[in-house]
Amino acid sequence: NNWCSFFDDLFEFNDVRERGGGDQVAMYFLRVFEYIDEVVVDRHSQRSPQQRERDMAIKDIMREVAVRRAVDVWYNVLTHYHGRGPGDGLEVAQLCLSVLQAYVEWIDVSLLLTPYWVNLLYFLMSIHPLRVGACECIGQLVAKKQAPGIKVETLGALNIVEALS
C-alpha cells in the first residue's frame, strides 16, 4: 500500500542495466528479489498470522505484476552473463540461478517450461561454474508439487529422458 509503483520502479531501474548500467545494477536487481524471497516467501521462518496474510498479498501482487517480467529479466541476465569469468560478471549469472531456484516453488512454471528456458538451463549445465545452479533449477522444476497430469507435462517439457541419455 505504501509504495504502489515498487515493481515498476524496480524494472525501470533494471532498464538502466540494459542501457549500459553494468554488473552492479544487475546484482542489485537480483539481490532485491533474493531479499523478497528471504523476507516474504521463505516458508521455513515462523510468522504471525498477520505477517503470513501480508506475505500472501505481496506474492499475489507479484504474480499479477512482476513475476512474468522478472522471468524475462532473469532469462536476459543469464544469456548476457553466462560466458563471463570470475570478476567479470559470472557472479551475476550464479546469483540469477540462485534467485530463479528460490522462485520456482511458487511461480507459474509454465513461464520456465518454454523451449528457450529449457534449452538455456541445459546449456548452462555445460558451463562448469554454472552447472550446479542450473541442475538445481531443473531439480526444483522436477520436484515442484503439481497435479499428476501437470507433472507429466512438466517432465515432458523438460525432456529429462533425452537430456540424460
Side-chain angles (χ1 to χ4, degrees):
N1 290 346
N2 295 334
W3 189 359
C4 297
S5 65
F6 173 79
F7 288 108
D8 289 332
D9 295 342
L10 183 62
F11 287 108
E12 187 175 316
F13 179 71
N14 179 66
D15 290 344
V16 170
R17 177 195 61 83
E18 292 179 354
R19 291 190 305 265
D23 301 349
Q24 296 83 7
V25 174
M27 289 295 279
Y28 184 84
F29 180 85
L30 293 168
R31 292 270 184 228
V32 169
F33 277 94
E34 182 181 55
Y35 182 75
I36 291 170
D37 176 67
E38 291 171 4
V39 173
V40 174
V41 180
D42 184 22
R43 282 149 296 292
H44 302 295
S45 61
Q46 297 295 323
R47 298 193 170 106
S48 71
Q50 294 84 7
Q51 286 175 314
R52 283 194 303 271
E53 186 176 315
R54 178 210 63 179
D55 295 349
M56 189 56 96
I58 292 171
K59 283 172 48 177
D60 289 343
I61 290 169
M62 288 182 71
R63 284 185 189 104
E64 290 175 27
V65 302
V67 169
R68 183 174 304 276
R69 289 172 71 187
V71 168
D72 289 343
V73 170
W74 298 335
Y75 182 87
N76 291 334
V77 165
L78 287 169
T79 56
H80 181 77
Y81 287 99
H82 74 270
R84 306 277 183 97
D88 188 33
L90 177 66
E91 297 80 6
V92 177
Q94 291 169 322
L95 177 60
C96 190
L97 286 169
S98 175
V99 169
L100 177 62
Q101 179 187 354
Y103 278 77
V104 165
E105 187 173 331
W106 66 273
I107 67 171
D108 179 3
V109 293
S110 69
L111 298 171
L112 302 171
L113 295 176
T114 66
Y116 296 111
W117 264 107
V118 172
N119 290 335
L120 177 61
L121 289 172
Y122 283 128
F123 172 73
L124 295 176
M125 287 173 48
S126 70
I127 300 171
H128 182 71
L130 301 177
R131 181 174 297 144
V132 171
C135 286
E136 288 174 347
C137 287
I138 291 170
Q140 285 289 358
L141 287 166
V142 170
K144 184 171 173 85
K145 294 179 184 177
Q146 298 171 306
I150 296 171
K151 176 61 80 175
V152 169
E153 289 176 23
T154 297
L155 295 174
L158 287 171
N159 296 318
I160 295 289
V161 174
E162 292 84 8
L164 295 176
S165 54

